[in-house]
């Protein structure tokens, strides 16, 4: 939670201390998304090196007629992680008489703004919730066919066991017979991946370092930002991009009243972004009770849209 008063946030401090007490040190990626982090992520999505957002959008535009033909009329569109309506809007243009839109996100203000923009068009029932927890759909949408949507390759930020657990919960929430469209970034040459997570303009570096700035603001920390550098690594064995913050020198940093020791070259692991193969993702989804009902890829094979069914 962003504390506008400038006072300390005990939950942020506790999460930071827990991660920094581990070996190797970690910080939870969810802490990226304060107001500054959200603005920086928005800038990342427009970088020339960051192909996922524009590739997924172009793929969605190209394939939406085929996708929409698979979705029953009067379906409810349930979007996981909805904080802007642009991708959902593309689907809503093509779905046959959609009955309602249920955007799910922790950001209550963003959902309220989204509802105001969309409600003239169709009934909107926002669900303010952490979608990694079990959810129940609003009773207003009961009885309609359900079409879930999880764009942005956010599934790649989940550890495989967490992704399976999430997919099982989505299956329980959406119910038997539901369809679920998932945007999945694909495995590719690290020469393409690394610049996407370490851009020339330094926006991703600023996004990563903002974590430490946030801890300084909200968790009573005293990180010297000039003594840490952003590092994006491809982990071939795990099939993931890793983001790290590397300490340039041996140092001790105060965090919420505790001393945290860093050796020179020691890293804080801040994010994983798994890059799946098509077969690998279908197998992962199958472990959560979903089967593949459709697959679309861009011509260069960078990104995929998976339509799953129960
Ligand atoms: C939100 N998520 C899909 C992004 C990704 O590509 O893993 C987060 C991100 N981290 C650095 N750049 C973008």
């Amino acid at each position: 939670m962003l504390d506008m008063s400038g006072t300390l946030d005990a939950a942020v401090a506790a999460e930071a201390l827990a991660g920094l007490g581990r070996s190797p040190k970690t910080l939870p990626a969810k802490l990226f998304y304060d107001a500054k982090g959200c603005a920086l992520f928005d800038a990342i999505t427009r970088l020339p090196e960051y192909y996922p957002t524009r590739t997924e959008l172009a793929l969605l535009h190209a394939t939406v007629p085929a996708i929409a033909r698979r979705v029953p009329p009067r379906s409810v569109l349930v979007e996981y992680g909805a904080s802007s309506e642009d991708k959902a809007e593309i689907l809503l243009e093509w779905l046959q008489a959609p009955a309602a839109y249920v955007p799910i996100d922790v950001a209550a203000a963003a959902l309220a703004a989204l509802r105001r923009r969309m409600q003239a068009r169709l009934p909107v029932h926002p669900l303010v919730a952490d979608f990694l927890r079990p959810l129940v759909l609003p009773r207003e949408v009961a009885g309609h066919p359900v079409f879930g949507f999880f764009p942005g390759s956010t599934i790649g930020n989940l550890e495989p066991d967490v992704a399976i657990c999430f997919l099982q919960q989505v299956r329980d929430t959406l119910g038997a017979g539901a369809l679920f469209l998932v945007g999945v970034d694909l495995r590719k040459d690290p020469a393409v991946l690394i610049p996407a997570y370490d851009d020339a303009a330094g926006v991703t570096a600023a996004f990563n370092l903002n974590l430490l700035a946030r801890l300084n603001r909200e968790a009573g920390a005293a990180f010297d930002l000039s003594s840490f550098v952003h590092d994006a690594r491809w982990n071939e064995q795990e099939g993931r991009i890793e983001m790290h913050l590397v300490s340039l020198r041996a140092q001790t940093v105060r965090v919420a009243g505790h001393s945290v020791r860093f050796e020179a070259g020691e890293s804080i692991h801040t994010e994983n972004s798994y890059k799946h193969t098509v077969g690998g993702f279908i197998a992962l989804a199958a472990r959560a009770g979903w089967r593949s009902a459709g697959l679309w890829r861009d011509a260069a094979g960078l990104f995929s849209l998976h339509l799953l069914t129960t």
Side-chain angles (χ1 to χ4, degrees):
M1 181 182 61
L2 179 64
D3 188 288
M4 304 303 284
S5 67
T7 54
L8 300 185
D9 187 317
V12 171
E15 285 185 299
L17 282 173
L20 295 173
R22 288 197 189 100
S23 181
K25 293 181 172 60
T26 63
L27 283 171
K30 70 175 182 190
L31 292 183
F32 281 132
Y33 300 97
D34 66 351
K36 176 94 188 290
C38 287
L40 285 166
F41 180 66
D42 201 53
I44 287 174
T45 64
R46 282 178 268 109
L47 289 169
E49 297 96 328
Y50 193 75
Y51 61 87
T53 308
R54 64 171 179 277
T55 309
E56 184 182 41
L57 258 179
L59 183 60
L60 196 56
H61 276 294
T63 56
V64 66
I67 294 168
R69 276 197 295 276
R70 311 284 286 274
V71 181
R74 302 290 299 151
S75 284
V76 174
L77 178 64
V78 179
E79 186 178 13
Y80 284 80
S83 48
S84 94
E85 82 283 26
D86 53 356
K87 289 175 194 155
E89 197 139 23
I90 299 168
L91 288 172
L92 289 168
E93 281 287 323
W94 284 83
L95 294 181
Q96 305 166 65
Y101 173 42
V102 179
I104 307 170
D105 205 281
V106 282
L111 287 185
L114 201 156
R115 180 187 212 163
R116 281 194 296 278
R117 283 199 300 278
M118 305 276 288
Q119 67 187 0
R121 190 167 165 182
L122 83 172
V124 180
H125 304 288
L127 210 51
V128 180
D130 175 354
F131 60 66
L132 292 178
R133 303 247 161 98
L135 294 174
V136 177
L137 292 181
R139 56 185 159 66
E140 292 90 331
V141 304
H144 288 281
V146 181
F147 177 37
F149 182 38
F150 190 36
S153 200
T154 307
I155 192 102
N157 296 126
L158 306 181
E159 296 304 306
D161 57 333
V162 177
I164 292 167
C165 179
F166 164 73
L167 289 166
Q168 275 164 348
Q169 280 172 21
V170 174
R171 194 173 175 273
D172 291 344
T173 302
L174 303 187
L179 290 167
F180 188 36
L181 185 67
V182 189
V184 181
D185 195 14
L186 293 175
R187 206 163 292 182
K188 58 185 65 64
D189 189 340
V192 176
L193 286 168
I194 295 286
Y197 291 84
D198 192 8
D199 59 282
V203 181
T204 311
F207 175 71
N208 202 5
L209 281 160
N210 180 54
L211 256 182
L212 302 185
R214 179 175 184 182
L215 297 186
N216 287 352
R217 287 191 295 270
E218 295 181 38
F223 284 99
D224 167 14
L225 267 58
S226 68
S227 69
F228 286 86
V229 285
H230 166 67
D231 188 21
R233 305 173 188 167
W234 171 245
N235 183 329
E236 176 70 33
Q237 203 174 335
E238 302 291 339
R240 69 190 188 201
I241 281 280
E242 297 177 1
M243 296 218 307
H244 294 259
L245 289 164
V246 179
S247 177
L248 290 174
R249 56 180 166 84
Q251 56 183 315
T252 300
V253 181
R254 293 293 287 173
V255 181
H258 295 257
S259 293
V260 182
R261 177 77 192 156
F262 291 89
E263 301 307 327
E266 185 177 357
S267 98
I268 311 172
H269 187 168
T270 54
E271 186 183 54
N272 288 323
S273 194
Y274 284 85
K275 306 303 171 187
H276 295 283
T277 61
V278 163
F281 182 73
I282 291 172
L284 187 91
R287 290 181 61 190
W290 293 98
R291 62 184 172 81
S292 178
L295 165 69
W296 295 269
R297 270 174 285 195
D298 62 297
L302 296 174
F303 202 93
S304 57
L305 286 169
H306 286 257
L307 187 64
L308 305 174
T309 193
T310 61

